[in-house]
């Protein structure tokens, strides 16, 4: 099976009142580093560089695929010219959607999305999806309510256009933190959002690194949970840090299972836990450290960074306990103020995130590295479409 020829990621801006019709144009086979703003591969050992003041994102091509995917790709059962597979993108993260389409050798479907004067969202598909397997890529990122509503309306449009199957690809699932009642008279918004997506007409959900695994149970439709840890692991492996120097740190007790699985794949690195007590939402107070980090390179792992209060206070404690360097790793970079000030204050050697959420240029800082999840999402979409195993990607 021949792999798809590399394609360039053409950028296009779109105002809220104009139509959004993403397109991918064929470029030269080997784009030069000067022609791409982000150009550090995640599986090389070259030092981190900033190009035009922007953090690095790996080039996506057959030579720079993460090792964990290189040996797992389907070579026989995938028909990459299948016209029954359609990809559509909302306005939340079109850059990621274009990269996914590039990896899959497809073009994004044409869709018109605009806002009326009163803020209402209008969606019209500009190509037929009758009998097709449709994947809608739309994280419910800030502004969460607008992007969620846009996703629901796109699902409804596909359902009314007689799509055979509709999969909501949600790289970042908003409201996931409201997954249980911790106090009286609270809502469980994660369940409500799951109901809305199901009732809109989605047949399946594909989500990345949910805040808690039980959120999958809120859906009455199949959920494919994509773990982005292999992308971060592949990048960390390129840093050349001795395994004896590493320690994986969970910033809270709730993330211990995630950190333990991560540590196991980092040559079974030791684990440390930051014990904290939260007095209010987005307010954390570090109390104690369980484990030894003295003279070690500490890798703090979390599913998301919002205001960065938890992970920054944890990093300060690690330095107090003698950690040599501290790396922050997360999948979802929400970056609500004052996250940037905290993360760039000097506590971290490097802040490693993925592009499940778009990062505004104003939020770039020297220690930031952005890794692309497009190849991981693209491979998962192919496997869902071909009724192949998804879990085998992560084994």
């Amino acid at each position: 099976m021949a792999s798809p020829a590399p394609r360039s990621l053409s950028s296009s801006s779109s105002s809220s009142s104009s139509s959004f019709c993403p397109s991918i144009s064929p470029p030269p086979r080997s784009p030069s580093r000067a022609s791409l703003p982000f150009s550090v591969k995640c599986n090389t050992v070259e030092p981190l560089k900033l190009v035009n003041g922007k953090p690095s994102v790996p080039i996506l091509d057959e030579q720079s695929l993460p090792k964990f995917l290189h040996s797992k790709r389907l070579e026989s059962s995938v028909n990459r010219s299948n016209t029954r597979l359609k990809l559509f993108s909302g306005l939340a993260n079109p850059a990621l959607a274009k990269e996914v389409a590039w990896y899959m050798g497809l073009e994004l479907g044409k869709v018109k999305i605009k806002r009326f004067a009163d803020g209402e969202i209008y969606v019209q598909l500009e190509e037929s999806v009758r009998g097709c397997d449709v994947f809608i890529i739309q994280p419910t990122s800030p502004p969460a309510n607008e992007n969620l509503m846009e996703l629901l309306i796109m699902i409804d449009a596909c359902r009314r256009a007689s799509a055979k199957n509709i999969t909501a690809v949600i790289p970042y699932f908003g409201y996931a933190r409201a997954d249980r009642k911790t106090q009286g008279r609270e809502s469980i918004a994660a369940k409500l959002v799951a109901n809305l997506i199901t009732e809109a007409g989605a047949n399946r959900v594909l989500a990345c690194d949910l805040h808690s695994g039980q959120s999958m149970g809120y859906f009455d439709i199949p959920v494919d949970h994509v773990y982005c840890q292999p992308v971060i692991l592949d990048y960390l492996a390129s840093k050349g840090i001795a395994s004896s120097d590493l320690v994986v740190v969970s910033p809270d007790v709730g993330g211990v299972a995630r950190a333990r699985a991560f540590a196991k794949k980092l040559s079974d690195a030791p684990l440390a836990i930051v014990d904290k007590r939260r007095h209010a939402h987005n307010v954390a107070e570090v109390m104690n450290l369980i484990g030894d980090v003295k003279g070690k390179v500490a890798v703090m792992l979390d599913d998301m960074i919002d205001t960065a209060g938890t992970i920054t206070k944890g990093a300060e404690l690690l330095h107090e306990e003698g950690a040599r360097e501290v790396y922050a790793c997360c999948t979802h970079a929400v970056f609500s103020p004052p996250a940037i000030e905290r993360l760039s204050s000097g506590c971290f050697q490097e802040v490693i995130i993925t592009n499940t959420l778009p990062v505004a240029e104003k939020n770039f800082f020297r220690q930031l590295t952005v890794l692309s999840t497009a190849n991981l999402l693209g491979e998962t979409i192919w496997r869902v479409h071909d009724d192949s195993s998804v879990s085998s990607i992560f084994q």
Side-chain angles (χ1 to χ4, degrees):
M1 182 206 70
S3 299
R7 302 180 177 212
S8 68
L9 306 180
S10 58
S11 59
S12 62
S13 59
S14 179
S15 66
S16 60
S17 61
S18 61
S19 64
F20 176 67
C21 301
S23 61
I24 302 178
S25 55
R29 242 177 203 285
S30 301
S32 66
R33 286 189 166 231
S35 66
L36 291 173
F38 308 104
S39 57
V40 177
K41 300 176 184 177
C42 66
N43 60 350
T44 64
V45 294
E46 58 186 292
L48 176 69
K49 297 178 182 178
L50 294 180
V51 182
N52 298 325
K54 297 181 179 180
S56 59
V57 174
I59 299 173
L60 290 177
D61 59 31
E62 290 300 317
Q63 286 71 46
S64 65
L65 286 179
K67 297 181 182 69
F68 80 94
L69 268 183
H70 206 62
S71 60
K72 298 290 186 183
R73 298 189 67 203
L74 297 177
E75 296 295 338
S76 58
S77 63
V78 172
N79 179 9
R80 307 243 163 183
S81 62
N82 194 331
T83 57
R84 287 295 180 182
L85 173 59
K86 298 281 188 179
L87 288 181
F88 290 94
S89 172
L91 298 178
N93 196 350
L96 173 58
K98 289 177 184 177
E99 291 188 35
V100 172
W102 172 88
Y103 174 83
M104 300 179 70
L106 302 173
E107 291 192 1
L108 287 176
K110 295 180 180 179
V111 56
K112 180 186 293 183
I113 304 174
K114 66 179 182 180
R115 303 288 192 273
F116 290 110
D118 62 354
E120 292 181 5
I121 300 170
Y122 172 83
V123 172
Q124 181 188 20
L125 305 180
E126 297 189 320
E127 58 186 74
S128 174
V129 296
R130 185 179 297 273
C132 293
D133 200 359
V134 175
F135 292 81
I136 302 171
I137 303 172
Q138 174 81 340
T140 53
S141 53
N145 298 331
E146 278 205 19
N147 288 328
L148 173 60
M149 195 65 194
E150 188 177 297
L151 172 63
L152 298 175
I153 296 174
M154 291 184 72
I155 293 172
D156 183 71
C158 292
R159 177 172 65 89
R160 296 180 186 279
S162 301
K164 183 179 180 181
N165 290 298
I166 304 169
T167 301
V169 181
I170 311 175
Y172 171 70
F173 180 62
Y175 290 102
R177 285 172 285 185
D179 58 357
R180 64 194 184 280
K181 289 183 68 172
T182 57
Q183 303 176 61
R185 300 176 297 282
E186 281 186 334
S187 69
I188 304 180
K191 171 60 175 170
L192 172 62
V193 173
N195 288 344
L196 289 171
I197 293 171
T198 303
E199 290 301 316
N203 303 108
R204 179 182 292 271
V205 166
L206 195 159
C208 296
D209 282 342
L210 292 168
H211 186 63
S212 54
Q214 66 259 29
S215 297
M216 290 187 284
Y218 296 157
F219 290 89
D220 296 325
I221 54 178
V223 177
D224 288 300
H225 194 188
V226 178
Y227 300 95
C228 296
Q229 286 185 5
V231 177
I232 299 174
L233 283 165
D234 192 59
Y235 177 75
L236 285 175
S238 74
K239 307 293 288 184
I241 304 170
S243 58
S244 58
D245 290 340
L246 279 172
V247 59
V248 176
V249 182
S250 173
D252 53 34
V253 175
V256 171
R258 183 187 303 112
R260 185 182 291 116
F262 192 81
K264 186 175 182 180
K265 294 182 179 180
L266 270 179
S267 303
D268 209 10
L271 183 67
I273 304 167
V274 176
D275 174 40
K276 71 170 175 41
R277 296 183 183 179
R278 189 182 295 278
H279 300 295
H281 294 298
N282 297 127
V283 178
E285 181 181 350
V286 172
M287 303 299 294
N288 200 4
L289 178 68
I290 304 169
D292 181 25
V293 298
K294 189 172 183 179
K296 300 277 189 177
V297 176
V299 178
M300 297 190 74
L301 180 72
D302 211 345
D303 63 317
M304 70 171 70
I305 296 178
D306 191 357
T307 61
T310 296
I311 204 163
T312 302
K313 290 195 175 189
E316 291 171 357
L317 179 63
L318 293 176
H319 281 296
E320 291 172 8
E321 295 292 330
R324 191 168 82 237
E325 293 178 349
V326 179
Y327 288 80
C329 302
C330 87
T331 302
H332 311 301
V334 181
F335 286 176
S336 303
I340 303 304
E341 290 78 3
R342 288 170 171 170
L343 294 172
S344 60
S345 62
C347 288
F348 300 100
Q349 179 77 12
E350 195 170 348
V351 178
I352 303 165
I353 64 173
T354 72
N355 63 344
T356 57
L357 289 171
V359 182
E361 195 164 337
K362 65 179 181 180
N363 290 335
F364 292 160
F365 55 95
R366 184 177 58 83
Q367 298 95 334
L368 184 67
T369 297
V370 185
L371 304 178
S372 179
T373 58
N375 41 16
L376 179 61
L377 285 171
E379 191 65 30
T380 304
I381 289 172
W382 272 124
R383 295 187 179 213
V384 170
H385 176 66
D386 290 327
D387 297 324
S388 302
S389 171
V390 171
S391 62
S392 62
I393 296 175
F394 309 103
Q395 293 174 356

